[in-house]
Amino acid sequence: MIGSESVNQADLHAYVDGQLDPAQRLCVEAWLAEHPEEAASIHAYRLQNTRLHDIYDTVLDEAIPPELEAIVTGQTASRPGRAGIFHRSWMRLAASIVLLVTGGVGGWLLHGAPAPPTARLAASFADQAMGAHRVFVAEVKHPVEVPADQETHLVAWLSKRLGTKLRAPDLVSVGFDLIGGRLLAEGAQPAAQLMYEEADGRRITVYVRASGGASDTSFRFVSDQGVSAFYWVEQDFAYALVAPMERSQLMAIAQQAYSDLDQR
Amino acid sequence: MDDIHRLIIDQVPHLRRYARALLRDADTADDLVQDCLSRAMGRLHLWTPGSNMRTWLFSILHNQHVNSARRLAHRPDQVDLSPDHATLQATQPEQSGRHEVRDLGRALEQLSEDQRQVVLLVGLEGLAYTEAAQVLDLPMGTVMSRLNRGRQRLREIMDQDDTPGLRRVK
């Protein structure tokens, strides 16, 4: 509690910001009457607040951009980015090309747009995959729990924990060698991360977990602060391929991953 | 729309305002808000009903910003884009009120990021000091000293600017 004898800096700011109760406010005002220098500061600080509102309050009057609203209402699972509709249709086209390339056309096209619950699940799934990517690719000493020279053990172990037979896609043809993997937790659910490395040291990850009954989806793309992911659900697994790359570059690798998984 | 989604949507204009003031670029700011909302939706189960949605969302925004700033730290060209340069050229000689307003925007840029965050959360967004401390994950004392130093510094810069002879040629 402040008395008029001892008003400190924090009280003065609280006075500026209207965070004092009426009694405290009176104390500060009485004190300021005798301290003109501090009173001048208070005046200047109040003016700062007013000017901040003068400059930035116009933002409050702007309509919320639809892509921001869509994230909250869950109307779209992927972030459209600035390219908007063009980007989304490009993705559909790209997904169709993958289908033709891999020959997995049957049924997949029939799924059409996924139901909203599936979409929401997928969005948080990509979020988890990207989070795990950020955490572990930076690791120098322990990027993986089990290195790739024990691939059989790695795959058997992760398959056992995921409860479904896991396959590590072969990405050698696009320049990435498997360096290993680790077990992660997504909520209470086990998930696996496989890490691949390019000759120049660049790393990408494949994040996998049981699909939990979600219906198959086409490729979806999400990009967040320099890291991008393609993610999809196929049969028993939900996959996300995560890399610090642009869409087109990542697409080539996603195609390879999908095609390799599909052939086995 | 669910209540919880309504609560989030209600905060979007405020998140956008803070992000714009912090980053000084509308597109970069909306990108940050987009990251924040995506993250929030992904961890909606962590939000306690009845708790403060504003501080929860601002905390997420802050963390996303810290993470991206860290990643961009070695690419200063990406963070140093000041829209003021463009405004400066596009703006005609103006009345003094407008001039003061714009100078505060420029003065803000001269604060350390730490100080700018506190000054904006408190002075623009009207967060209680305890809320600002929560958002920035700092002790209350640190928030108060950053607020104090930030405001002092802003005042010094503005005073300098008002000194005849030192005023910039527009």
Side-chain angles (χ1 to χ4, degrees), chain A residues 156-173:
Chain A
W157 170 58
L158 291 176
S159 297
K160 191 174 164 217
R161 294 311 309 270
L162 295 189
T164 336
K165 191 167 165 17
L166 174 77
R167 292 162 298 178
D170 185 343
L171 300 178
V172 172
S173 65

Side-chain angles (χ1 to χ4, degrees), chain B residues 21-135:
Chain B
L22 185 68
L23 300 170
R24 286 116 46 217
D25 175 74
D27 286 338
T28 319
D30 275 352
D31 284 351
L32 177 61
V33 174
Q34 194 165 344
D35 291 340
C36 162
L37 293 175
S38 299
R39 188 142 186 88
M41 294 310 292
R43 16 177 69 202
L44 215 47
H45 57 285
L46 296 177
W47 183 72
T48 316
S51 67
N52 190 328
M53 180 59 87
R54 180 166 68 159
T55 45
W56 189 66
L57 288 173
F58 271 90
S59 302
I60 295 176
L61 185 94
H62 172 70
N63 290 334
Q64 294 290 99
H65 172 61
V66 169
N67 291 342
S68 70
R70 199 175 289 151
R71 273 194 296 282
L72 289 176
H74 59 289
R75 290 165 62 187
D77 56 312
Q78 299 266 326
V79 275
D80 203 17
L81 258 183
S82 151
D84 256 11
H85 297 311
T87 324
L88 209 60
Q89 284 165 3
T91 314
Q92 299 300 313
E94 67 300 303
Q95 322 84 297
S96 71
R98 189 65 211 148
H99 156 80
E100 286 174 2
V101 160
R102 211 188 51 203
D103 275 0
L104 182 74
R106 196 162 49 205
L108 263 179
E109 291 179 26
Q110 296 183 40
L111 296 190
S112 74
E113 169 118 344
D114 290 345
Q115 292 170 357
R116 193 161 58 233
Q117 287 167 351
V118 178
V119 166
L120 290 174
L121 284 176
V122 169
L124 180 61
E125 293 307 325
L127 264 66
Y129 301 144
T130 47
E131 291 177 315
Q134 211 179 322
V135 165

Side-chain angles (χ1 to χ4, degrees), chain A residues 9-11 13-17 19 37 40-41 44-45 47-49 51-60 62-65 67-69 71-74 79-82 120 124 127-128 131 134 223-227, chain B residues 1 5 8-9 12-14 16-17 20-21 24 27-28 30-35 37-39 41-42 64 67-68 71 100-102 104-105 108 119-120 122-124 126-129 144 147-148 150-152 154-155 158:
Chain A
Q9 281 295 344
D11 299 327
H13 287 287
Y15 179 74
V16 170
D17 297 313
Q19 299 195 20
E37 259 183 49
S41 298
Y45 298 164
L47 208 56
Q48 289 174 9
N49 282 1
R51 287 178 181 171
L52 283 176
H53 285 284
D54 290 344
I55 304 176
Y56 294 109
D57 278 2
T58 54
V59 181
L60 297 182
E62 294 174 12
I64 297 176
E67 64 268 26
L68 294 184
E69 192 157 359
I71 295 172
V72 179
T73 55
R79 299 174 44 195
R82 291 196 205 136
R120 204 171 293 172
S124 72
D127 206 42
Q128 295 284 343
R134 289 207 163 95
S223 178
D224 182 19
Q225 302 174 18
V227 175
Chain B
M1 204 184 296
H5 295 125
I8 296 175
I9 287 287
V12 172
H14 301 278
R16 293 183 74 221
R17 178 174 64 177
R20 184 131 5 140
R24 286 116 46 217
D27 286 338
T28 319
D30 275 352
D31 284 351
L32 177 61
V33 174
Q34 194 165 344
D35 291 340
L37 293 175
S38 299
R39 188 142 186 88
M41 294 310 292
Q64 294 290 99
N67 291 342
S68 70
R71 273 194 296 282
E100 286 174 2
V101 160
R102 211 188 51 203
L104 182 74
L108 263 179
V119 166
L120 290 174
V122 169
L124 180 61
L127 264 66
Y129 301 144
M144 294 314 293
L147 181 65
N148 190 45
R151 282 177 167 167
Q152 272 177 356
L154 272 185
R155 191 181 173 205
M158 300 296 284

Side-chain angles (χ1 to χ4, degrees), chain A residues 6-238:
Chain A
S6 59
V7 169
N8 61 30
Q9 281 295 344
D11 299 327
L12 293 178
H13 287 287
Y15 179 74
V16 170
D17 297 313
Q19 299 195 20
L20 292 179
D21 64 40
Q24 293 171 321
R25 208 160 54 225
L26 283 178
C27 282
V28 172
E29 278 167 3
W31 187 87
L32 284 175
E34 317 223 317
H35 297 80
E37 259 183 49
E38 283 80 1
S41 298
I42 295 305
H43 175 72
Y45 298 164
R46 283 194 150 165
L47 208 56
Q48 289 174 9
N49 282 1
T50 308
R51 287 178 181 171
L52 283 176
H53 285 284
D54 290 344
I55 304 176
Y56 294 109
D57 278 2
T58 54
V59 181
L60 297 182
D61 300 329
E62 294 174 12
I64 297 176
E67 64 268 26
L68 294 184
E69 192 157 359
I71 295 172
V72 179
T73 55
Q75 279 161 2
T76 170
S78 65
R79 299 174 44 195
R82 291 196 205 136
I85 289 164
F86 169 75
H87 166 218
R88 279 196 294 278
S89 50
W90 184 88
M91 273 308 303
R92 273 196 291 277
L93 175 66
S96 318
I97 293 169
V98 175
L99 281 170
L100 295 172
V101 167
T102 58
V105 183
W108 206 11
L109 283 177
L110 297 175
H111 286 295
T118 312
R120 204 171 293 172
L121 167 90
S124 72
F125 168 72
D127 206 42
Q128 295 284 343
M130 291 168 86
H133 176 90
R134 289 207 163 95
V135 170
F136 292 111
V137 288
E139 273 292 320
V140 178
K141 276 193 165 171
H142 307 291
V144 295
E145 252 175 311
V146 178
D149 54 22
Q150 302 171 39
E151 186 174 346
T152 318
H153 163 64
L154 171 73
V155 168
W157 170 58
L158 291 176
S159 297
K160 191 174 164 217
R161 294 311 309 270
L162 295 189
T164 336
K165 191 167 165 17
L166 174 77
R167 292 162 298 178
D170 185 343
L171 300 178
V172 172
S173 65
V174 282
F176 285 89
D177 291 318
L178 181 68
I179 61 171
R182 65 169 63 241
L183 184 67
L184 299 168
E186 186 179 327
Q189 206 181 4
Q193 183 188 55
L194 301 167
M195 196 177 295
Y196 296 77
E197 202 173 48
E198 214 182 14
D200 67 8
R202 184 161 58 161
R203 287 167 174 176
I204 61 177
T205 56
V206 173
Y207 180 91
V208 195
R209 69 156 161 75
S211 62
S215 48
D216 293 8
T217 63
S218 53
F219 277 101
R220 294 175 186 205
F221 179 77
V222 57
S223 178
D224 182 19
Q225 302 174 18
V227 175
S228 308
F230 274 107
Y231 58 104
W232 67 98
V233 174
E234 218 227 340
Q235 297 187 8
D236 298 329
F237 290 110

